[in-house]
Amino acid sequence: MSQASLFGDEPFTTPAADARGDGLSDPAGLANAAPGGTEDDVPPFEYWATPVEAGRTLVEASAGTGKTFAIAGLVLRLVLDGDWLATTPGGLPDLRRLLVVTFTKAATEELRTRIRRALRVALAVARDESIPETSPLAGDLPLVDPLRPLLGRSEAEGRLLAALDRVDEAGVFTIHSFCQRVLKQAAFESGTPFEMEFVEDSDSDALRSRAAADAWACLTHGDPLLAALAVSRGRTPDVLIQHHKNTADFPSVRILPDTPSLVEAQARLGEAMGTLAATWSAEAVRDALAEVEWNKSAPLDGPEAAALLARVGAFARGEDLDALPAVETCTTEAIYKAGKKTSQARKDALDAASKATPFRACTEVVEAVGALDQAFIREFVLEVGRRIEAIKERRGQLTFNDLITRLHAALHSDDAGPTLAAGIRRQFAVALIDEFQDTDPLQYGIFRTAFEGHPLYFVGDPKQAIYAFRGADVHAYLGAQQEATRRYTLGTNWRSTAGLVEAVNRIFERPARAFLFDGIPFRRVASAPHHAESALLDGDLPPLVWWPMPARGDKVPGKGEASDLIPPL
C-alpha cells in the first residue's frame, strides 16, 4: 500500500462498539471480564464467544495451550462476524485490515498458512461439503466447529471467499517488518529518509565490532595508564562490546553509577597517584609494619616483599603501569587481612599499621581505579553508540533496533505522532500480537499508542518473560498486564500427556510464588481428553521423575555433572 493510502482519505470506517454481531452467545459472561482481572477471576479465552471490542485484551497462555490455534480461530471469527474488517459498514471483510505480529519469519509463515487452511475448511463447512478424515484439512475441523452457528448464516460463504481472495495480502508481519513498512509508508511523518538500507543482524554485529575497536583506540590513545588498567581488568573491545549490546537490546538498561565522568575519574586517579608518590618510601613502610606479625604466606612476609614494595612506588611514579596488583596488596584492608589477630595487642598493632599514611594512599588509588573502570565502561558504551550512529548516517543504514526506536519516537512525538497513529489505524482495524512475552517497553508503546480505541490483542506466556528472550522485559509485560482492559487465559494443554501435565501442576503449585513475580502466578492447566493415556509403546514410565542431587557442600552440580549422577530409567 502506498503512502497515500496509509495517510489519505480512504473510505475505511470504524465499526460501532457492538461490532461483534449477535450470532454468538456469551454464556460465560466473558464480556464482563474485569479490567486487569485478579489472579482468581481471569476467565478462559473462547475465540468463538469472547466479544471483539475496542481496548487492550491480554490472553495469557502456557506451553502447548494453543496460542496459534486461538489466533487462527479469532481471525475466522473476525471474518465471519461484525464489521471490524469491513471497508464500509455492512461490507465484506478485507484481511488487509488485519494486523498479526509475531517475532520470527518462520512464525509468520506458519500463521499465514494456518489462517489460509482454516478459511478453506470453514468455506467447506459453510457449503456443507464433507472433508475426508485423510485430508490435510481435517485437522482444522476442531478449530471451525465452535463457529458453526456463524457458518450457517447466508452471508458466511461470501465473507469467506472475500477473505480468501485477500489472504496473501493479510498483514502478517514480524515486529521489524511491520515497523519497516510503516516507516517507509510514512517517511515524512516519521522523519525516515526515503532511501535507507536496512542492515541484517550479522551486518549489525560487524558494525558494532568496528565501532568498538575504534572507540577503544580513541579513548586509550595517548593515555598508557588507562590502556594498561583496561587491559589488566580485561576491558578489551571484544569483552566490552557486550555492555553496548545489552544497552542496545534492552532499552531500559542503564549503566550505574552514572558519575563520575571519564575525565573526572582520570583526574581523581592522577591526584591519588600523586599523593601515593609523595608519601611512599621504604623507610615509612618499614616503620609502619615494624610491629606486625604476618599470617602464613602473607605477601609482605616473604622474599618477594622488597620487590613488591618497590613496584608500588614505581606505579605511583608512572614507571610501572602493570604494578596495580602490588598496590592492591598494600591497601588498608589487605594489610589488616594479612596480619595475625590472635591477641588484642596484635589486633591493635595491626589496626594502627594498616591505617598508616602510605597504605591509606594505596587504598585511595585502588578506589580511584575502580571509579575509573566504571567511567571507562560507561564512556566506551556511549562512544560506540555515537560511532555506530555516525557510520549508519554516512552509509544511509538502519538496523532492526533502529526500526523499533524510530517508530516509537515518531508515534510519541507531539507533531507527527497523532497523524501517524491515525494512519496506522486507518490501514489496520484490529491487531493481534503473538509471543507478547517477548515484548519490551518500546514495542509495547508502539502498539499501545497506534491502536488506541481499536481491538488490540496480546497473546503470550508470561512465565517465559522472566528469561528475557529476544530482549524481552518482564516489567514491560507486567505493566501491560496492569493496563489491560480485560484478561483471559488458555487453560488446556493439547501437547502433553495427562500424567505429565498433572506432575507439572503439582510441582509448581507447591511454592507460593513459583515465578517470583506477583503478576505471574502459576495456574493449573488441564490436559486434553485424547492425551489421557500414555503415548509410550514399550511399557510405561512415570511422567516425571524428581532426582535429588547429593550434597557437595555449597557447590551446586552443573548440568553435565547432574546428568552423570542420574541413573538410567
Side-chain angles (χ1 to χ4, degrees), residues 154-223:
S154 59
E155 69 270 21
E157 182 176 345
R159 281 175 166 263
L160 290 166
L161 285 172
L164 279 166
D165 187 51
R166 296 292 192 185
V167 69
D168 290 329
E169 300 176 72
V172 183
F173 302 112
T174 64
I175 175 65
H176 297 106
S177 60
F178 167 71
C179 293
Q180 180 178 350
R181 178 188 179 96
V182 173
L183 289 172
K184 280 187 172 181
Q185 292 175 343
F188 284 120
E189 290 75 8
S190 64
T192 302
F194 288 107
E195 299 296 330
M196 294 296 293
E197 175 189 354
F198 294 95
V199 182
E200 298 289 337
D201 284 341
S202 58
D203 295 328
S204 180
D205 290 340
L207 186 64
R208 181 183 284 117
S209 295
R210 173 184 169 180
D214 291 347
W216 200 92
C218 175
L219 293 175
T220 59
H221 179 70
D223 192 337

Side-chain angles (χ1 to χ4, degrees), residues 77 87 92 114 128 167 203 213 217 231 274 334 359 422 431 433-434 439 450 517 525 537 559 565:
R77 168 76 178 287
T87 58
L92 293 174
R114 190 67 182 270
D128 203 22
V167 69
D203 295 328
V231 171
F359 306 130
I433 314 303
D434 189 22
T439 193
F517 293 94
V525 174
L537 301 178
K559 181 179 178 180
L565 292 172

Side-chain angles (χ1 to χ4, degrees), residues 308-360:
L308 187 150
L309 295 175
R311 292 196 72 191
V312 173
F315 179 86
R317 295 188 298 272
E319 299 167 359
D320 185 355
L321 300 182
D322 296 324
L324 180 62
V327 180
E328 292 172 333
T329 303
C330 294
T331 63
T332 294
E333 181 180 0
I335 294 292
Y336 190 81
K337 184 176 180 180
K340 288 184 177 180
K341 297 175 278 291
T342 53
S343 68
Q344 188 60 48
R346 285 176 171 171
K347 285 183 180 180
D348 292 342
L350 183 60
D351 183 62
S354 67
K355 293 177 181 178
T357 299
F359 306 130
R360 286 190 283 111

Side-chain angles (χ1 to χ4, degrees), residues 327-505:
V327 180
E328 292 172 333
T329 303
C330 294
T331 63
T332 294
E333 181 180 0
I335 294 292
Y336 190 81
K337 184 176 180 180
K340 288 184 177 180
K341 297 175 278 291
T342 53
S343 68
Q344 188 60 48
R346 285 176 171 171
K347 285 183 180 180
D348 292 342
L350 183 60
D351 183 62
S354 67
K355 293 177 181 178
T357 299
F359 306 130
R360 286 190 283 111
C362 285
T363 299
E364 175 56 29
V365 166
V366 171
E367 290 176 351
V369 167
L372 178 61
D373 183 51
Q374 290 295 316
F376 179 68
I377 293 173
R378 185 174 58 254
E379 187 60 30
F380 174 88
V381 169
L382 295 174
E383 182 64 21
V384 169
R386 289 190 289 264
R387 288 176 177 272
I388 288 176
E389 291 304 314
I391 294 172
K392 289 189 299 185
E393 183 175 355
R394 188 167 62 250
R395 295 178 178 177
Q397 294 177 329
L398 289 177
T399 64
F400 282 163
N401 282 340
D402 292 332
L403 297 173
I404 294 174
T405 302
R406 287 199 175 212
L407 182 53
H408 181 274
L411 280 168
H412 290 82
S413 70
D414 293 335
D415 295 332
T419 302
L420 180 58
I424 294 173
R425 289 192 291 269
R426 192 178 297 115
Q427 181 175 358
F428 301 109
V430 180
L432 315 178
I433 314 303
D434 189 22
E435 302 291 357
F436 183 63
Q437 73 276 354
D438 293 336
T439 193
D440 64 35
L442 297 185
Q443 294 172 29
Y444 174 58
I446 287 171
F447 297 116
R448 179 180 182 274
T449 302
F451 290 94
E452 187 68 39
H454 280 236
L456 173 59
Y457 290 82
F458 298 118
V459 184
D461 182 354
K463 298 178 291 301
Q464 294 183 35
I466 62 178
Y467 296 106
F469 294 142
R470 293 188 281 260
D473 186 330
V474 64
H475 300 289
Y477 182 94
L478 293 173
Q481 183 187 80
Q482 291 299 311
E483 290 186 354
T485 312
R486 56 195 74 87
R487 288 171 65 191
Y488 301 99
T489 63
L490 295 174
T492 300
N493 184 300
W494 302 93
R495 184 184 301 163
S496 304
T497 61
L500 181 58
V501 171
E502 181 59 23
V504 172
N505 281 337

Side-chain angles (χ1 to χ4, degrees), residues 506-530:
R506 293 190 185 186
I507 288 174
F508 285 94
E509 280 178 335
R510 294 174 65 89
R513 298 167 73 238
F515 303 106
L516 302 182
F517 293 94
D518 290 334
I520 307 179
F522 177 77
R523 296 190 182 93
R524 286 186 66 86
V525 174
S527 57
H530 64 280

